[in-house]
Amino acid sequence: TWNEFGTDNIPPRPFISSYAEEKQDEARSDMRRVDEALVKGKIDNLDRAMALLGERYKGEVQAKIRARIDPPNAERTIQRKGSDVPLIDTGQLVSSIRAKVVEA
């Protein structure tokens, strides 16, 4: 939450909302393709198809984080952690990204 929205001392680095905004049209298209394939009998397990999409989206969010989210780290932060890559220090954040299929 602190990284996504920022705090008094940390600038916002939206890695979830920015990804969702960038990919919303593509995600809608993906859902339509899954729906059409299900109706045509090309998919026999909707949960599995949705889980595969979720895994793809998860990987894309992780790649977005690894590609460096603006703004850059402060010089003091770079010195403390020994890296200039925002949002990655121990790797806990990027490795905690998960995909979960829920019924709406």
Side-chain angles (χ1 to χ4, degrees):
T1 300
W2 295 344
N3 289 308
E4 181 75 15
F5 300 106
T7 68
D8 290 342
N9 300 317
I10 301 170
R13 291 187 176 95
F15 59 95
I16 297 172
S17 60
S18 63
Y19 174 81
E21 188 174 306
E22 292 164 10
K23 297 292 186 164
Q24 68 182 352
D25 292 338
E26 186 178 327
R28 283 188 185 114
S29 179
D30 290 342
M31 298 305 139
R32 276 193 290 278
R33 281 196 304 276
V34 167
D35 188 45
E36 290 169 6
L38 185 65
V39 169
K40 292 178 181 178
K42 294 180 180 179
I43 294 176
D44 60 355
N45 188 325
L46 180 59
D47 288 339
R48 179 72 181 135
M50 297 306 289
L52 289 171
L53 280 178
E55 287 300 312
R56 187 180 97 205
Y57 300 151
K58 175 187 93 168
E60 290 176 357
V61 169
Q62 290 171 325
K64 181 176 181 65
I65 292 170
R66 289 184 182 109
R68 299 173 187 248
I69 304 281
D70 282 333
N73 281 333
E75 188 58 40
R76 186 176 69 212
T77 302
I78 295 169
Q79 290 174 358
R80 177 187 54 78
K81 70 182 208 176
S83 168
D84 65 346
V85 182
L87 300 181
I88 298 181
D89 190 353
T90 64
Q92 182 178 0
L93 174 66
V94 75
S95 67
S96 70
I97 304 296
R98 300 279 189 273
K100 182 177 180 181
V101 177
V102 294
E103 193 171 319

